[in-house]
Amino acid sequence: MSKRTLDAFFAAPKPKKQKKSGLYKEDSKGVIELEPSPSPSPSPSPLPVVVTSKETIEIVSDDDEIAVVSETKAVKSTSVAAPVILTNTGFAIAAPDRDTSPSGPPSIHPTYPFPIPSLPRHLLESMQPSKEPRAINDGIDLDLLCYEPYMASSLARDYGEFLRRELPFYRVQYKINRFGKETEINTPRYTTVFGIDDTSRFSPDGQILDARTGKPSPANKYKTCRPRPIPQCLQSLLDATSECTNTSYNFALVNYYASGQDSISFHSDDEHFLEKEPAIASFSFLGARDFLLKHKPMKEQGQPVEGAKKGEDKPMKFNLTSGTLILMRGKTQSNWLHSIPKRASNGVRAPAIQGRINITFRKNMTAAGTENYYRYNVGTGPVWKWDEKKKEMKLHVADTSDI
Ligand SMILES: O=C(O)CCC(=O)C(=O)O
Ligand SMILES: [Fe+2]
């Protein structure tokens, strides 16, 4: 969401708790793959049995957010034999026959706080959609394509864990003017962004070039940010998504919702620097979360309120599980709002909410759009990085040993 949209957002008082209207915000599936193993040598593997469980969760609050609203060369490497792990239940955990060696050197750029490893080879080979999409268009001006799943569950988990572990994240704070008063906003989720708008491109060695002339761009073209090339681990999914959705993208925005308290308020991705009727590809990895969609108020759009169409009064709800891709296209962004509401993380009937990665691929047309995306998704604060031992985000301390 852009600053312009935010300003419009705060032009009226914000209702407290549930039942919101207009643009105001509110702000897991367990998968076990088992292979019966009567003997210690279970190969060749039959198809895995996938056991899933659904949970019921409730909305806890809808205030806070202020929603904002290298290319690398593959190198040959050797495959590691997949181990078979025997459990004390008499089952062996299916050990996939996969090559987890890196598919190339890490992606590096002066703007990255640390090198970003290239994908393990088994993931790089799994970037194409696993099935045909289903159209969802049963609301007025709603035009969605849902790949459910785009990526099978164990690959989606590996990919989600890879991104969570290897990407730099930020907890962006910024100030807005709300009813004439300066207000500090704490974005209620981890964010990060890579990419550059259509007027520029990166050279193979990471310099910013003018997209039309191919010459280096003036050093002051981007005044408030340092655009970062999309690392291989995201570019490979972007390329596969471009191909299957027949759309080009130049930005990857990543959200990490660490718990049910992390969220994004109702908004639409209708920034003026995107194309008209933009196609936005939105992926989900790791923990499942509810995704709400509701029609913008008809009145606001100069249409009669009577005969409200599906989604306007009561939001449509999708439980987005790991590996799902939702493509929002056509008139969706100009007519619909979407959100990931807060959820109770330890409800009686609900297991703890697991962290969730979201990636959106978009096509940004202007340099101002680039500045906007970096301002609201990287900001000026410290870097957070996943601590694999503690299983949580930790402030990243730059390694100065080489300086
Ligand atoms: O996490 C999601 O599924 C939605 C994210 C989103 O709407 C956004 O980043 O604009
Ligand atoms: Fe969005």
Side-chain angles (χ1 to χ4, degrees):
M1 189 183 279
S2 65
K3 176 69 168 61
R4 185 185 56 81
T5 317
L6 271 179
D7 285 344
F9 199 84
F10 287 104
K14 184 181 177 188
K16 270 280 148 204
K17 301 268 168 186
Q18 71 269 60
K19 302 273 176 277
K20 311 135 239 176
S21 63
L23 287 177
Y24 281 103
K25 325 227 134 179
E26 44 170 50
D27 217 291
S28 221
K29 143 181 163 183
V31 177
I32 312 163
E33 296 186 11
L34 296 175
E35 179 187 349
S37 170
S39 83
S41 39
S43 58
S45 308
L47 285 176
V49 178
V50 179
V51 184
T52 63
S53 68
K54 280 235 162 87
E55 58 183 308
T56 312
I57 42 185
E58 79 210 66
I59 297 180
V60 281
S61 89
D62 61 352
D63 48 0
D64 45 62
E65 180 183 17
I66 295 229
V68 200
V69 145
S70 48
E71 197 170 335
T72 53
K73 239 204 189 130
V75 291
K76 262 226 162 326
S77 55
T78 45
S79 180
V80 179
V84 171
I85 303 156
L86 289 176
T87 71
N88 58 9
T89 60
F91 288 95
I93 295 171
D97 182 14
R98 55 186 198 171
D99 181 351
T100 58
S101 59
S103 55
S107 299
I108 50 169
H109 192 262
T111 58
Y112 294 178
F114 40 77
I116 302 176
S118 60
L119 283 180
R121 200 168 277 278
H122 77 294
L123 286 178
L124 186 63
E125 286 159 5
S126 310
M127 290 288 135
Q128 277 69 35
S130 67
K131 61 190 283 194
E132 289 296 313
R134 151 175 87 95
I136 303 173
N137 44 25
D138 56 340
I140 190 164
D141 293 327
L142 184 67
D143 190 354
L144 307 177
L145 274 188
C146 188
Y147 293 73
E148 219 172 13
Y150 180 101
M151 206 184 278
S153 64
S154 67
L155 290 166
R157 185 197 51 221
D158 288 358
Y159 187 58
E161 288 178 349
F162 177 94
L163 296 177
R164 175 170 66 184
R165 194 173 60 240
E166 306 296 354
L167 296 179
F169 284 96
Y170 305 87
R171 212 66 207 199
V172 178
Q173 297 181 311
Y174 55 92
K175 292 193 171 82
I176 57 158
N177 189 301
R178 197 180 183 188
F179 318 128
K181 215 179 124 210
E182 197 170 67
T183 311
E184 178 144 295
I185 305 305
N186 293 312
T187 304
R189 62 190 175 281
Y190 294 89
T191 55
T192 198
V193 66
F194 300 90
I196 200 156
D197 59 274
D198 226 33
T199 68
S200 299
R201 65 179 169 84
F202 284 99
S203 65
D205 65 351
Q207 270 196 77
I208 299 177
L209 305 180
D210 183 284
R212 206 169 40 82
T213 64
K215 301 220 169 83
S217 295
N220 64 354
K221 175 165 180 181
Y222 298 96
K223 294 187 178 57
T224 61
C225 67
R226 296 174 69 209
R228 311 183 302 180
I230 301 175
Q232 180 253 20
C233 60
L234 288 167
Q235 186 68 46
S236 46
L237 182 63
L238 184 153
D239 291 343
T241 308
S242 277
E243 198 180 318
C244 73
T245 61
N246 211 9
T247 305
S248 63
Y249 309 99
N250 54 20
F251 258 87
L253 281 70
V254 184
N255 292 307
Y256 179 62
Y257 302 86
S259 73
Q261 286 307 296
D262 280 355
S263 59
I264 189 164
S265 328
F266 270 112
H267 68 283
S268 46
D269 300 319
D270 56 354
E271 293 107 338
H272 57 93
F273 47 78
L274 300 178
E275 288 177 301
K276 198 170 168 277
E277 302 199 347
I280 296 187
S282 183
F283 280 90
S284 297
F285 296 102
L286 305 177
R289 289 288 293 262
D290 282 340
F291 178 70
L292 305 185
L293 265 168
K294 68 178 182 186
H295 202 287
K296 292 183 184 175
M298 298 287 189
K299 217 205 257 165
E300 192 183 273
Q301 301 190 311
Q303 293 176 44
V305 190
E306 296 85 59
K309 300 291 184 298
K310 189 170 177 182
E312 189 187 4
D313 42 355
K314 195 170 175 286
M316 295 169 81
K317 183 164 93 176
F318 299 91
N319 189 248
L320 296 182
T321 52
S322 189
T324 301
L325 163 61
I326 288 202
L327 181 72
M328 298 182 268
R329 59 183 189 174
K331 297 190 191 320
T332 305
Q333 296 301 337
S334 48
N335 292 281
W336 290 76
L337 301 163
H338 55 275
S339 77
I340 300 285
K342 291 188 189 305
R343 290 292 192 241
S345 45
N346 283 303
V348 179
R349 291 195 299 157
I353 295 233
Q354 290 168 20
R356 167 176 179 268
I357 290 270
N358 163 257
I359 307 171
T360 52
F361 294 131
R362 310 169 184 215
K363 186 169 182 191
N364 169 17
M365 307 304 292
T366 74
T370 297
E371 303 213 35
N372 181 293
Y373 277 155
Y374 282 91
R375 174 167 183 202
Y376 292 109
N377 294 280
V378 170
T380 53
V383 179
W384 293 82
K385 190 167 194 298
W386 181 253
D387 182 325
E388 191 60 42
K389 278 204 201 95
K390 296 215 160 87
K391 302 274 180 229
E392 63 186 28
M393 290 289 174
K394 284 267 176 248
L395 278 175
H396 173 69
V397 184
D399 179 2
T400 52
S401 55
D402 294 344
I403 298 175

